[in-house]
Structures are given as C-alpha cells and as structure tokens.
PDB file of all heavy atoms in Angstrom:
ATOM      1  N   VAL A 899     237.839 -15.203 104.748  1.00 89.00           N
ATOM      2  CA  VAL A 899     237.611 -16.539 105.285  1.00 89.00           C
ATOM      3  C   VAL A 899     236.194 -16.933 104.925  1.00 89.00           C
ATOM      4  O   VAL A 899     235.262 -16.164 105.134  1.00 89.00           O
ATOM      5  CB  VAL A 899     237.790 -16.578 106.821  1.00 89.00           C
ATOM      6  CG1 VAL A 899     237.459 -17.966 107.346  1.00 89.00           C
ATOM      7  CG2 VAL A 899     239.206 -16.183 107.199  1.00 89.00           C
ATOM      8  N   GLN A 900     236.037 -18.117 104.383  1.00 94.00           N
ATOM      9  CA  GLN A 900     234.711 -18.662 104.118  1.00 94.00           C
ATOM     10  C   GLN A 900     234.437 -19.750 105.144  1.00 94.00           C
ATOM     11  O   GLN A 900     235.290 -20.604 105.397  1.00 94.00           O
ATOM     12  CB  GLN A 900     234.634 -19.247 102.701  1.00 94.00           C
ATOM     13  CG  GLN A 900     234.740 -18.211 101.599  1.00 94.00           C
ATOM     14  CD  GLN A 900     236.168 -17.751 101.357  1.00 94.00           C
ATOM     15  OE1 GLN A 900     237.086 -18.536 101.331  1.00 94.00           O
ATOM     16  NE2 GLN A 900     236.345 -16.434 101.189  1.00 94.00           N
ATOM     17  N   LEU A 901     233.233 -19.703 105.713  1.00 96.00           N
ATOM     18  CA  LEU A 901     232.859 -20.640 106.767  1.00 96.00           C
ATOM     19  C   LEU A 901     231.586 -21.379 106.373  1.00 96.00           C
ATOM     20  O   LEU A 901     230.638 -20.756 105.889  1.00 96.00           O
ATOM     21  CB  LEU A 901     232.630 -19.904 108.084  1.00 96.00           C
ATOM     22  CG  LEU A 901     233.803 -19.082 108.626  1.00 96.00           C
ATOM     23  CD1 LEU A 901     233.351 -18.258 109.828  1.00 96.00           C
ATOM     24  CD2 LEU A 901     234.965 -19.970 108.996  1.00 96.00           C
ATOM     25  N   VAL A 902     231.577 -22.680 106.617  1.00 97.00           N
ATOM     26  CA  VAL A 902     230.392 -23.487 106.342  1.00 97.00           C
ATOM     27  C   VAL A 902     230.133 -24.382 107.538  1.00 97.00           C
ATOM     28  O   VAL A 902     230.981 -25.204 107.898  1.00 97.00           O
ATOM     29  CB  VAL A 902     230.564 -24.344 105.072  1.00 97.00           C
ATOM     30  CG1 VAL A 902     229.315 -25.185 104.839  1.00 97.00           C
ATOM     31  CG2 VAL A 902     230.843 -23.460 103.862  1.00 97.00           C
ATOM     32  N   GLU A 903     228.955 -24.213 108.145  1.00 98.00           N
ATOM     33  CA  GLU A 903     228.579 -25.028 109.283  1.00 98.00           C
ATOM     34  C   GLU A 903     227.806 -26.266 108.832  1.00 98.00           C
ATOM     35  O   GLU A 903     227.129 -26.251 107.799  1.00 98.00           O
ATOM     36  CB  GLU A 903     227.699 -24.246 110.265  1.00 98.00           C
ATOM     37  CG  GLU A 903     228.328 -22.992 110.830  1.00 98.00           C
ATOM     38  CD  GLU A 903     227.986 -21.756 110.004  1.00 98.00           C
ATOM     39  OE1 GLU A 903     227.679 -21.919 108.810  1.00 98.00           O
ATOM     40  OE2 GLU A 903     228.021 -20.639 110.540  1.00 98.00           O
ATOM     41  N   SER A 904     227.893 -27.309 109.628  1.00 98.00           N
ATOM     42  CA  SER A 904     227.127 -28.535 109.383  1.00 98.00           C
ATOM     43  C   SER A 904     226.943 -29.263 110.702  1.00 98.00           C
ATOM     44  O   SER A 904     227.563 -28.904 111.712  1.00 98.00           O
ATOM     45  CB  SER A 904     227.844 -29.431 108.365  1.00 98.00           C
ATOM     46  OG  SER A 904     229.109 -29.829 108.852  1.00 98.00           O
ATOM     47  N   GLY A 905     226.104 -30.282 110.679  1.00 98.00           N
ATOM     48  CA  GLY A 905     225.931 -31.126 111.851  1.00 98.00           C
ATOM     49  C   GLY A 905     224.668 -30.880 112.647  1.00 98.00           C
ATOM     50  O   GLY A 905     224.405 -31.596 113.616  1.00 98.00           O
ATOM     51  N   GLY A 906     223.907 -29.869 112.264  1.00 98.00           N
ATOM     52  CA  GLY A 906     222.676 -29.614 112.982  1.00 98.00           C
ATOM     53  C   GLY A 906     221.635 -30.691 112.709  1.00 98.00           C
ATOM     54  O   GLY A 906     221.826 -31.563 111.861  1.00 98.00           O
ATOM     55  N   GLY A 907     220.545 -30.638 113.438  1.00 98.00           N
ATOM     56  CA  GLY A 907     219.472 -31.611 113.253  1.00 98.00           C
ATOM     57  C   GLY A 907     218.470 -31.522 114.376  1.00 98.00           C
ATOM     58  O   GLY A 907     218.458 -30.553 115.138  1.00 98.00           O
ATOM     59  N   SER A 908     217.636 -32.551 114.452  1.00 98.00           N
ATOM     60  CA  SER A 908     216.604 -32.622 115.471  1.00 98.00           C
ATOM     61  C   SER A 908     216.925 -33.761 116.420  1.00 98.00           C
ATOM     62  O   SER A 908     217.170 -34.888 115.982  1.00 98.00           O
ATOM     63  CB  SER A 908     215.239 -32.864 114.827  1.00 98.00           C
ATOM     64  OG  SER A 908     214.871 -31.788 113.998  1.00 98.00           O
ATOM     65  N   VAL A 909     216.920 -33.454 117.715  1.00 98.00           N
ATOM     66  CA  VAL A 909     217.189 -34.465 118.735  1.00 98.00           C
ATOM     67  C   VAL A 909     216.226 -34.274 119.884  1.00 98.00           C
ATOM     68  O   VAL A 909     215.624 -33.204 120.044  1.00 98.00           O
ATOM     69  CB  VAL A 909     218.639 -34.376 119.269  1.00 98.00           C
ATOM     70  CG1 VAL A 909     219.635 -34.703 118.174  1.00 98.00           C
ATOM     71  CG2 VAL A 909     218.915 -33.021 119.880  1.00 98.00           C
ATOM     72  N   GLN A 910     216.116 -35.299 120.697  1.00 98.00           N
ATOM     73  CA  GLN A 910     215.315 -35.186 121.908  1.00 98.00           C
ATOM     74  C   GLN A 910     216.170 -34.620 123.032  1.00 98.00           C
ATOM     75  O   GLN A 910     217.407 -34.694 123.002  1.00 98.00           O
ATOM     76  CB  GLN A 910     214.767 -36.550 122.299  1.00 98.00           C
ATOM     77  CG  GLN A 910     213.694 -37.072 121.351  1.00 98.00           C
ATOM     78  CD  GLN A 910     212.942 -38.249 121.916  1.00 98.00           C
ATOM     79  OE1 GLN A 910     213.528 -39.105 122.573  1.00 98.00           O
ATOM     80  NE2 GLN A 910     211.650 -38.314 121.638  1.00 98.00           N
ATOM     81  N   ALA A 911     215.503 -34.048 123.997  1.00 98.00           N
ATOM     82  CA  ALA A 911     216.204 -33.507 125.157  1.00 98.00           C
ATOM     83  C   ALA A 911     217.083 -34.590 125.778  1.00 98.00           C
ATOM     84  O   ALA A 911     216.674 -35.746 125.892  1.00 98.00           O
ATOM     85  CB  ALA A 911     215.197 -32.992 126.178  1.00 98.00           C
ATOM     86  N   GLY A 912     218.287 -34.171 126.161  1.00 98.00           N
ATOM     87  CA  GLY A 912     219.252 -35.119 126.697  1.00 98.00           C
ATOM     88  C   GLY A 912     220.196 -35.678 125.659  1.00 98.00           C
ATOM     89  O   GLY A 912     221.212 -36.305 126.008  1.00 98.00           O
ATOM     90  N   GLY A 913     219.880 -35.457 124.394  1.00 98.00           N
ATOM     91  CA  GLY A 913     220.703 -35.982 123.322  1.00 98.00           C
ATOM     92  C   GLY A 913     221.920 -35.121 123.042  1.00 98.00           C
ATOM     93  O   GLY A 913     222.177 -34.119 123.723  1.00 98.00           O
ATOM     94  N   SER A 914     222.659 -35.521 122.017  1.00 98.00           N
ATOM     95  CA  SER A 914     223.911 -34.845 121.672  1.00 98.00           C
ATOM     96  C   SER A 914     223.976 -34.572 120.176  1.00 98.00           C
ATOM     97  O   SER A 914     223.398 -35.310 119.372  1.00 98.00           O
ATOM     98  CB  SER A 914     225.119 -35.705 122.058  1.00 98.00           C
ATOM     99  OG  SER A 914     225.175 -35.944 123.438  1.00 98.00           O
ATOM    100  N   LEU A 915     224.698 -33.525 119.826  1.00 98.00           N
ATOM    101  CA  LEU A 915     225.026 -33.214 118.448  1.00 98.00           C
ATOM    102  C   LEU A 915     226.435 -32.652 118.411  1.00 98.00           C
ATOM    103  O   LEU A 915     226.887 -32.034 119.380  1.00 98.00           O
ATOM    104  CB  LEU A 915     224.068 -32.178 117.858  1.00 98.00           C
ATOM    105  CG  LEU A 915     222.661 -32.627 117.473  1.00 98.00           C
ATOM    106  CD1 LEU A 915     221.816 -31.412 117.107  1.00 98.00           C
ATOM    107  CD2 LEU A 915     222.689 -33.616 116.333  1.00 98.00           C
ATOM    108  N   ARG A 916     227.094 -32.851 117.283  1.00 98.00           N
ATOM    109  CA  ARG A 916     228.405 -32.249 117.077  1.00 98.00           C
ATOM    110  C   ARG A 916     228.347 -31.369 115.835  1.00 98.00           C
ATOM    111  O   ARG A 916     228.139 -31.857 114.726  1.00 98.00           O
ATOM    112  CB  ARG A 916     229.476 -33.320 116.884  1.00 98.00           C
ATOM    113  CG  ARG A 916     230.898 -32.749 116.853  1.00 98.00           C
ATOM    114  CD  ARG A 916     231.858 -33.772 116.327  1.00 98.00           C
ATOM    115  NE  ARG A 916     233.250 -33.437 116.623  1.00 98.00           N
ATOM    116  CZ  ARG A 916     234.278 -33.906 115.945  1.00 98.00           C
ATOM    117  NH1 ARG A 916     234.086 -34.722 114.921  1.00 98.00           N
ATOM    118  NH2 ARG A 916     235.514 -33.573 116.270  1.00 98.00           N
ATOM    119  N   LEU A 917     228.505 -30.074 116.047  1.00 98.00           N
ATOM    120  CA  LEU A 917     228.509 -29.128 114.948  1.00 98.00           C
ATOM    121  C   LEU A 917     229.933 -28.945 114.429  1.00 98.00           C
ATOM    122  O   LEU A 917     230.890 -28.974 115.203  1.00 98.00           O
ATOM    123  CB  LEU A 917     227.941 -27.789 115.382  1.00 98.00           C
ATOM    124  CG  LEU A 917     226.567 -27.800 116.028  1.00 98.00           C
ATOM    125  CD1 LEU A 917     226.111 -26.365 116.308  1.00 98.00           C
ATOM    126  CD2 LEU A 917     225.556 -28.538 115.177  1.00 98.00           C
ATOM    127  N   SER A 918     230.031 -28.752 113.124  1.00 98.00           N
ATOM    128  CA  SER A 918     231.328 -28.503 112.499  1.00 98.00           C
ATOM    129  C   SER A 918     231.309 -27.171 111.780  1.00 98.00           C
ATOM    130  O   SER A 918     230.273 -26.741 111.282  1.00 98.00           O
ATOM    131  CB  SER A 918     231.664 -29.606 111.487  1.00 98.00           C
ATOM    132  OG  SER A 918     231.771 -30.859 112.112  1.00 98.00           O
ATOM    133  N   CYS A 919     232.467 -26.551 111.727  1.00 97.00           N
ATOM    134  CA  CYS A 919     232.642 -25.283 111.024  1.00 97.00           C
ATOM    135  C   CYS A 919     233.873 -25.441 110.127  1.00 97.00           C
ATOM    136  O   CYS A 919     235.000 -25.488 110.629  1.00 97.00           O
ATOM    137  CB  CYS A 919     232.836 -24.149 112.019  1.00 97.00           C
ATOM    138  SG  CYS A 919     233.180 -22.539 111.291  1.00 97.00           S
ATOM    139  N   ALA A 920     233.636 -25.579 108.828  1.00 97.00           N
ATOM    140  CA  ALA A 920     234.728 -25.761 107.868  1.00 97.00           C
ATOM    141  C   ALA A 920     235.161 -24.401 107.347  1.00 97.00           C
ATOM    142  O   ALA A 920     234.331 -23.616 106.889  1.00 97.00           O
ATOM    143  CB  ALA A 920     234.271 -26.649 106.724  1.00 97.00           C
ATOM    144  N   ALA A 921     236.456 -24.133 107.414  1.00 94.00           N
ATOM    145  CA  ALA A 921     236.983 -22.830 107.014  1.00 94.00           C
ATOM    146  C   ALA A 921     237.899 -22.955 105.803  1.00 94.00           C
ATOM    147  O   ALA A 921     238.613 -23.940 105.644  1.00 94.00           O
ATOM    148  CB  ALA A 921     237.747 -22.200 108.172  1.00 94.00           C
ATOM    149  N   SER A 922     237.869 -21.957 104.966  1.00 91.00           N
ATOM    150  CA  SER A 922     238.800 -21.867 103.848  1.00 91.00           C
ATOM    151  C   SER A 922     239.211 -20.414 103.700  1.00 91.00           C
ATOM    152  O   SER A 922     238.514 -19.506 104.136  1.00 91.00           O
ATOM    153  CB  SER A 922     238.172 -22.374 102.553  1.00 91.00           C
ATOM    154  OG  SER A 922     237.035 -21.621 102.219  1.00 91.00           O
ATOM    155  N   GLY A 923     240.368 -20.177 103.133  1.00 80.00           N
ATOM    156  CA  GLY A 923     240.841 -18.809 102.972  1.00 80.00           C
ATOM    157  C   GLY A 923     242.129 -18.583 103.739  1.00 80.00           C
ATOM    158  O   GLY A 923     243.055 -19.369 103.654  1.00 80.00           O
ATOM    159  N   ARG A 924     242.140 -17.549 104.551  1.00 70.00           N
ATOM    160  CA  ARG A 924     243.363 -17.187 105.260  1.00 70.00           C
ATOM    161  C   ARG A 924     243.742 -18.250 106.286  1.00 70.00           C
ATOM    162  O   ARG A 924     242.968 -19.132 106.589  1.00 70.00           O
ATOM    163  CB  ARG A 924     243.204 -15.826 105.939  1.00 70.00           C
ATOM    164  CG  ARG A 924     242.183 -15.798 107.034  1.00 70.00           C
ATOM    165  CD  ARG A 924     242.122 -14.448 107.711  1.00 70.00           C
ATOM    166  NE  ARG A 924     243.311 -14.175 108.506  1.00 70.00           N
ATOM    167  CZ  ARG A 924     243.542 -13.034 109.123  1.00 70.00           C
ATOM    168  NH1 ARG A 924     242.705 -12.037 108.996  1.00 70.00           N
ATOM    169  NH2 ARG A 924     244.635 -12.849 109.833  1.00 70.00           N
ATOM    170  N   THR A 925     244.939 -18.129 106.843  1.00 77.00           N
ATOM    171  CA  THR A 925     245.457 -19.119 107.785  1.00 77.00           C
ATOM    172  C   THR A 925     244.506 -19.286 108.963  1.00 77.00           C
ATOM    173  O   THR A 925     244.302 -18.364 109.751  1.00 77.00           O
ATOM    174  CB  THR A 925     246.841 -18.714 108.279  1.00 77.00           C
ATOM    175  OG1 THR A 925     247.694 -18.503 107.163  1.00 77.00           O
ATOM    176  CG2 THR A 925     247.418 -19.803 109.162  1.00 77.00           C
ATOM    177  N   PHE A 926     243.937 -20.455 109.060  1.00 81.00           N
ATOM    178  CA  PHE A 926     242.908 -20.712 110.058  1.00 81.00           C
ATOM    179  C   PHE A 926     243.440 -20.614 111.472  1.00 81.00           C
ATOM    180  O   PHE A 926     242.757 -20.118 112.364  1.00 81.00           O
ATOM    181  CB  PHE A 926     242.324 -22.099 109.791  1.00 81.00           C
ATOM    182  CG  PHE A 926     241.179 -22.466 110.676  1.00 81.00           C
ATOM    183  CD1 PHE A 926     239.971 -21.811 110.571  1.00 81.00           C
ATOM    184  CD2 PHE A 926     241.301 -23.479 111.604  1.00 81.00           C
ATOM    185  CE1 PHE A 926     238.898 -22.156 111.374  1.00 81.00           C
ATOM    186  CE2 PHE A 926     240.250 -23.831 112.418  1.00 81.00           C
ATOM    187  CZ  PHE A 926     239.040 -23.171 112.304  1.00 81.00           C
ATOM    188  N   SER A 927     244.683 -21.047 111.683  1.00 84.00           N
ATOM    189  CA  SER A 927     245.225 -21.049 113.043  1.00 84.00           C
ATOM    190  C   SER A 927     245.362 -19.644 113.604  1.00 84.00           C
ATOM    191  O   SER A 927     245.467 -19.471 114.824  1.00 84.00           O
ATOM    192  CB  SER A 927     246.583 -21.756 113.070  1.00 84.00           C
ATOM    193  OG  SER A 927     247.515 -21.064 112.258  1.00 84.00           O
ATOM    194  N   ASN A 928     245.341 -18.637 112.753  1.00 89.00           N
ATOM    195  CA  ASN A 928     245.438 -17.243 113.206  1.00 89.00           C
ATOM    196  C   ASN A 928     244.078 -16.641 113.544  1.00 89.00           C
ATOM    197  O   ASN A 928     244.001 -15.454 113.868  1.00 89.00           O
ATOM    198  CB  ASN A 928     246.106 -16.377 112.138  1.00 89.00           C
ATOM    199  CG  ASN A 928     247.585 -16.685 112.000  1.00 89.00           C
ATOM    200  OD1 ASN A 928     248.204 -17.209 112.919  1.00 89.00           O
ATOM    201  ND2 ASN A 928     248.145 -16.370 110.849  1.00 89.00           N
ATOM    202  N   CYS A 929     243.016 -17.434 113.450  1.00 93.00           N
ATOM    203  CA  CYS A 929     241.667 -16.929 113.686  1.00 93.00           C
ATOM    204  C   CYS A 929     241.098 -17.393 115.014  1.00 93.00           C
ATOM    205  O   CYS A 929     241.224 -18.570 115.373  1.00 93.00           O
ATOM    206  CB  CYS A 929     240.728 -17.387 112.572  1.00 93.00           C
ATOM    207  SG  CYS A 929     241.047 -16.639 110.979  1.00 93.00           S
ATOM    208  N   ASN A 930     240.471 -16.472 115.733  1.00 95.00           N
ATOM    209  CA  ASN A 930     239.594 -16.856 116.827  1.00 95.00           C
ATOM    210  C   ASN A 930     238.307 -17.408 116.208  1.00 95.00           C
ATOM    211  O   ASN A 930     237.819 -16.878 115.205  1.00 95.00           O
ATOM    212  CB  ASN A 930     239.228 -15.644 117.687  1.00 95.00           C
ATOM    213  CG  ASN A 930     240.445 -14.919 118.198  1.00 95.00           C
ATOM    214  OD1 ASN A 930     241.288 -15.485 118.865  1.00 95.00           O
ATOM    215  ND2 ASN A 930     240.550 -13.630 117.860  1.00 95.00           N
ATOM    216  N   ILE A 931     237.744 -18.418 116.813  1.00 96.00           N
ATOM    217  CA  ILE A 931     236.494 -19.008 116.319  1.00 96.00           C
ATOM    218  C   ILE A 931     235.435 -18.872 117.402  1.00 96.00           C
ATOM    219  O   ILE A 931     235.690 -19.207 118.560  1.00 96.00           O
ATOM    220  CB  ILE A 931     236.667 -20.491 115.975  1.00 96.00           C
ATOM    221  CG1 ILE A 931     237.744 -20.659 114.895  1.00 96.00           C
ATOM    222  CG2 ILE A 931     235.338 -21.093 115.512  1.00 96.00           C
ATOM    223  CD1 ILE A 931     237.402 -20.018 113.579  1.00 96.00           C
ATOM    224  N   GLY A 932     234.290 -18.350 117.023  1.00 97.00           N
ATOM    225  CA  GLY A 932     233.201 -18.217 117.977  1.00 97.00           C
ATOM    226  C   GLY A 932     231.948 -18.903 117.471  1.00 97.00           C
ATOM    227  O   GLY A 932     231.666 -18.884 116.268  1.00 97.00           O
ATOM    228  N   TRP A 933     231.215 -19.515 118.376  1.00 98.00           N
ATOM    229  CA  TRP A 933     229.896 -20.071 118.057  1.00 98.00           C
ATOM    230  C   TRP A 933     228.841 -19.194 118.736  1.00 98.00           C
ATOM    231  O   TRP A 933     228.959 -18.887 119.932  1.00 98.00           O
ATOM    232  CB  TRP A 933     229.766 -21.503 118.555  1.00 98.00           C
ATOM    233  CG  TRP A 933     230.464 -22.514 117.710  1.00 98.00           C
ATOM    234  CD1 TRP A 933     231.712 -23.031 117.914  1.00 98.00           C
ATOM    235  CD2 TRP A 933     229.968 -23.158 116.525  1.00 98.00           C
ATOM    236  NE1 TRP A 933     232.022 -23.950 116.931  1.00 98.00           N
ATOM    237  CE2 TRP A 933     230.959 -24.041 116.065  1.00 98.00           C
ATOM    238  CE3 TRP A 933     228.768 -23.077 115.806  1.00 98.00           C
ATOM    239  CZ2 TRP A 933     230.806 -24.830 114.926  1.00 98.00           C
ATOM    240  CZ3 TRP A 933     228.614 -23.850 114.674  1.00 98.00           C
ATOM    241  CH2 TRP A 933     229.626 -24.715 114.234  1.00 98.00           C
ATOM    242  N   PHE A 934     227.864 -18.803 117.963  1.00 98.00           N
ATOM    243  CA  PHE A 934     226.745 -18.019 118.449  1.00 98.00           C
ATOM    244  C   PHE A 934     225.460 -18.708 118.005  1.00 98.00           C
ATOM    245  O   PHE A 934     225.468 -19.508 117.065  1.00 98.00           O
ATOM    246  CB  PHE A 934     226.787 -16.595 117.867  1.00 98.00           C
ATOM    247  CG  PHE A 934     227.899 -15.757 118.422  1.00 98.00           C
ATOM    248  CD1 PHE A 934     229.214 -15.960 118.028  1.00 98.00           C
ATOM    249  CD2 PHE A 934     227.643 -14.754 119.350  1.00 98.00           C
ATOM    250  CE1 PHE A 934     230.247 -15.198 118.538  1.00 98.00           C
ATOM    251  CE2 PHE A 934     228.662 -13.977 119.867  1.00 98.00           C
ATOM    252  CZ  PHE A 934     229.972 -14.204 119.465  1.00 98.00           C
ATOM    253  N   ARG A 935     224.364 -18.374 118.654  1.00 98.00           N
ATOM    254  CA  ARG A 935     223.077 -18.934 118.240  1.00 98.00           C
ATOM    255  C   ARG A 935     222.037 -17.836 118.202  1.00 98.00           C
ATOM    256  O   ARG A 935     222.128 -16.831 118.906  1.00 98.00           O
ATOM    257  CB  ARG A 935     222.645 -20.062 119.165  1.00 98.00           C
ATOM    258  CG  ARG A 935     222.423 -19.694 120.609  1.00 98.00           C
ATOM    259  CD  ARG A 935     222.229 -20.960 121.441  1.00 98.00           C
ATOM    260  NE  ARG A 935     221.961 -20.656 122.848  1.00 98.00           N
ATOM    261  CZ  ARG A 935     221.915 -21.572 123.800  1.00 98.00           C
ATOM    262  NH1 ARG A 935     222.117 -22.868 123.501  1.00 98.00           N
ATOM    263  NH2 ARG A 935     221.657 -21.217 125.032  1.00 98.00           N
ATOM    264  N   ARG A 936     221.082 -18.072 117.327  1.00 97.00           N
ATOM    265  CA  ARG A 936     220.040 -17.075 117.116  1.00 97.00           C
ATOM    266  C   ARG A 936     218.691 -17.753 117.083  1.00 97.00           C
ATOM    267  O   ARG A 936     218.525 -18.797 116.443  1.00 97.00           O
ATOM    268  CB  ARG A 936     220.310 -16.338 115.810  1.00 97.00           C
ATOM    269  CG  ARG A 936     219.230 -15.365 115.399  1.00 97.00           C
ATOM    270  CD  ARG A 936     219.585 -14.697 114.104  1.00 97.00           C
ATOM    271  NE  ARG A 936     220.439 -13.537 114.321  1.00 97.00           N
ATOM    272  CZ  ARG A 936     221.083 -12.896 113.370  1.00 97.00           C
ATOM    273  NH1 ARG A 936     221.026 -13.334 112.132  1.00 97.00           N
ATOM    274  NH2 ARG A 936     221.813 -11.850 113.631  1.00 97.00           N
ATOM    275  N   THR A 937     217.735 -17.134 117.760  1.00 95.00           N
ATOM    276  CA  THR A 937     216.345 -17.569 117.693  1.00 95.00           C
ATOM    277  C   THR A 937     215.510 -16.396 117.201  1.00 95.00           C
ATOM    278  O   THR A 937     215.931 -15.234 117.342  1.00 95.00           O
ATOM    279  CB  THR A 937     215.851 -18.048 119.062  1.00 95.00           C
ATOM    280  OG1 THR A 937     216.096 -17.022 120.038  1.00 95.00           O
ATOM    281  CG2 THR A 937     216.572 -19.308 119.494  1.00 95.00           C
ATOM    282  N   PRO A 938     214.334 -16.656 116.621  1.00 90.00           N
ATOM    283  CA  PRO A 938     213.524 -15.572 116.057  1.00 90.00           C
ATOM    284  C   PRO A 938     213.233 -14.486 117.082  1.00 90.00           C
ATOM    285  O   PRO A 938     212.861 -14.772 118.225  1.00 90.00           O
ATOM    286  CB  PRO A 938     212.237 -16.268 115.622  1.00 90.00           C
ATOM    287  CG  PRO A 938     212.658 -17.669 115.346  1.00 90.00           C
ATOM    288  CD  PRO A 938     213.729 -17.974 116.364  1.00 90.00           C
ATOM    289  N   GLY A 939     213.455 -13.249 116.693  1.00 89.00           N
ATOM    290  CA  GLY A 939     213.151 -12.116 117.550  1.00 89.00           C
ATOM    291  C   GLY A 939     214.210 -11.810 118.583  1.00 89.00           C
ATOM    292  O   GLY A 939     214.022 -10.884 119.393  1.00 89.00           O
ATOM    293  N   LYS A 940     215.308 -12.540 118.578  1.00 90.00           N
ATOM    294  CA  LYS A 940     216.356 -12.303 119.571  1.00 90.00           C
ATOM    295  C   LYS A 940     217.680 -11.991 118.892  1.00 90.00           C
ATOM    296  O   LYS A 940     217.928 -12.362 117.748  1.00 90.00           O
ATOM    297  CB  LYS A 940     216.526 -13.532 120.473  1.00 90.00           C
ATOM    298  CG  LYS A 940     215.357 -13.780 121.416  1.00 90.00           C
ATOM    299  CD  LYS A 940     215.695 -14.875 122.412  1.00 90.00           C
ATOM    300  CE  LYS A 940     214.580 -15.075 123.397  1.00 90.00           C
ATOM    301  NZ  LYS A 940     214.899 -16.122 124.396  1.00 90.00           N
ATOM    302  N   GLU A 941     218.542 -11.322 119.637  1.00 91.00           N
ATOM    303  CA  GLU A 941     219.891 -11.044 119.162  1.00 91.00           C
ATOM    304  C   GLU A 941     220.698 -12.339 119.151  1.00 91.00           C
ATOM    305  O   GLU A 941     220.370 -13.300 119.841  1.00 91.00           O
ATOM    306  CB  GLU A 941     220.567 -10.052 120.113  1.00 91.00           C
ATOM    307  CG  GLU A 941     219.835  -8.749 120.323  1.00 91.00           C
ATOM    308  CD  GLU A 941     220.363  -7.672 119.395  1.00 91.00           C
ATOM    309  OE1 GLU A 941     221.518  -7.788 118.957  1.00 91.00           O
ATOM    310  OE2 GLU A 941     219.607  -6.732 119.107  1.00 91.00           O
ATOM    311  N   ARG A 942     221.789 -12.313 118.379  1.00 94.00           N
ATOM    312  CA  ARG A 942     222.706 -13.437 118.428  1.00 94.00           C
ATOM    313  C   ARG A 942     223.260 -13.584 119.841  1.00 94.00           C
ATOM    314  O   ARG A 942     223.689 -12.608 120.455  1.00 94.00           O
ATOM    315  CB  ARG A 942     223.860 -13.223 117.440  1.00 94.00           C
ATOM    316  CG  ARG A 942     223.652 -13.876 116.100  1.00 94.00           C
ATOM    317  CD  ARG A 942     224.792 -13.589 115.162  1.00 94.00           C
ATOM    318  NE  ARG A 942     224.930 -12.192 114.861  1.00 94.00           N
ATOM    319  CZ  ARG A 942     225.723 -11.704 113.915  1.00 94.00           C
ATOM    320  NH1 ARG A 942     226.458 -12.546 113.191  1.00 94.00           N
ATOM    321  NH2 ARG A 942     225.807 -10.421 113.693  1.00 94.00           N
TER     322      ARG A 942
END
C-alpha cells in the first residue's frame, strides 16, 4: 500500500484543517487506517 498525505499547513489557534490520506495498492477497504503525529524528540 502506498500512502500520500496532504492538507497540512499553518493556522491560528481555533482554526481547522482537513488532512487527506490517498492510498494505492491493495484493497483499501480491507485496511485499518490510523493517524499519528510526531514532534521532535518524541515518539509517534
């Protein structure tokens, strides 16, 4: 499965963003999808 994220950016507190994860490869409906975040020096 190949995954490509998009939709990030810079916003002010209180704002909104919609992230997308485009998948290609095996049947997508058979996959669990997880979102994780990482900051410097920390685990996902």
